[in-house]
Amino acid sequence: MYDESLYAERAVRAGSKGYIMKQEMTNTIISAIRKVLDGKIYLSDNISMNLLDIYMTGKKKKNTDIVNNLTDREFEVFQLIGNGYKTSDIARSLNLSVKTIETYKLRIKEKINISSSPELTKFAIEWVIKVAVSLNDI
């Protein structure tokens, strides 16, 4: 659940008009689509409560995951690393230079307190697997 909250928060910050949890019922999905098409915002109840709590208190409830501290672009690079992409592949995929991706990797390593690229790759792969397993459990 917390993994979906992470994605939902990032989606809303990026301007998304709706976010629905994976386990929502079909009738809820249809209602959410209609609401967004009417120009309104739809968020699942759990996501709404989580985002309101963050807004009201100014801090995240579940800030135990150090990946939460990455910027959106750093997070995107981190996920691609975890999915086995090489630096050159990430650069090509994001239309950025290899040097720029290396800079992102350096910042990510600093933020999550990792000193080497192989260690970063291992951590990112483990994180991606953990997310995949937890999302399949929902």
Side-chain angles (χ1 to χ4, degrees), residues 112-127:
I112 61 178
N113 199 24
I114 287 179
S115 58
S116 71
S117 289
E119 192 179 355
L120 172 61
T121 300
K122 180 180 181 274
F123 182 80
I125 290 169
E126 289 171 352
W127 190 89

Side-chain angles (χ1 to χ4, degrees), residues 87 91 96-104:
T87 302
L96 297 170
S97 73
V98 169
K99 186 166 173 64
T100 300
I101 299 304
E102 289 293 344
T103 300
Y104 280 121

Side-chain angles (χ1 to χ4, degrees), residues 12-30:
V12 169
R13 277 194 324 231
S16 175
K17 296 293 183 193
Y19 191 93
I20 192 160
M21 301 291 281
K22 181 179 177 182
Q23 74 273 12
E24 295 287 343
M25 304 298 275
T26 304
N27 60 342
T28 305
I29 294 169
I30 293 169

Side-chain angles (χ1 to χ4, degrees), residues 50-120:
N50 208 10
L51 293 178
L52 281 173
D53 189 49
I54 291 167
Y55 177 74
M56 299 288 288
T57 63
K59 57 186 172 187
K60 297 179 184 183
K61 247 186 193 175
K62 299 176 180 176
N63 200 15
T64 58
D65 194 345
I66 56 178
V67 175
N68 288 341
N69 298 323
L70 301 178
T71 66
D72 290 338
R73 182 61 95 179
E74 290 166 348
F75 182 66
E76 187 175 18
V77 169
F78 178 79
Q79 287 181 295
L80 291 170
I81 293 167
N83 283 308
Y85 285 72
K86 293 185 235 171
T87 302
S88 59
D89 297 331
I90 296 170
R92 194 171 21 267
S93 170
L94 299 178
N95 273 340
L96 297 170
S97 73
V98 169
K99 186 166 173 64
T100 300
I101 299 304
E102 289 293 344
T103 300
Y104 280 121
K105 287 173 71 174
L106 180 64
R107 289 183 192 156
I108 293 167
K109 287 189 286 188
E110 288 172 355
K111 287 183 178 182
I112 61 178
N113 199 24
I114 287 179
S115 58
S116 71
S117 289
E119 192 179 355
L120 172 61

